[in-house]
Amino acid sequence: MLARAAQLDAVVKREGQMIEGGNRKDMMVLHPGIAQAQLNRTQAAGHLAKIRGEGEGPKRGHNARDAIAARWGNRV
């Protein structure tokens, strides 16, 4: 996801933040790659938070605690 976001950043840098589009001649619109790159980064952050055990509810942090317990046992 982050690699794809970086690719989209390169496309936007090459083509510009505003491109021709819309339903009228010579209408400029925001490059759709900007929104897609932002969405990819948001999704990647969400997945990373799950891996790290961040979030809400009773399962919050259980992945991180399990990983620590597997490595250090009762020493933590």
Side-chain angles (χ1 to χ4, degrees):
M1 286 181 226
L2 295 177
R4 180 64 181 142
Q7 291 171 345
L8 288 167
D9 288 342
V11 170
V12 170
K13 187 174 183 177
R14 184 177 65 241
E15 296 178 1
Q17 290 185 353
M18 301 298 288
I19 60 171
E20 287 189 28
N23 56 2
R24 290 183 283 157
K25 183 176 168 57
D26 298 327
M27 183 175 179
M28 300 298 282
V29 296
L30 189 65
H31 197 294
I34 295 171
Q36 187 62 46
Q38 183 179 17
L39 178 62
N40 285 355
R41 287 188 179 92
T42 301
Q43 289 175 336
H47 290 302
L48 183 58
K50 286 180 185 177
I51 292 169
R52 288 183 174 171
E54 300 168 0
E56 305 211 3
K59 291 289 190 177
R60 182 180 182 272
H62 87 98
N63 289 340
R65 283 191 297 270
D66 290 348
I68 291 169
R71 171 63 178 94
W72 297 103
N74 292 331
R75 292 183 280 172
V76 287

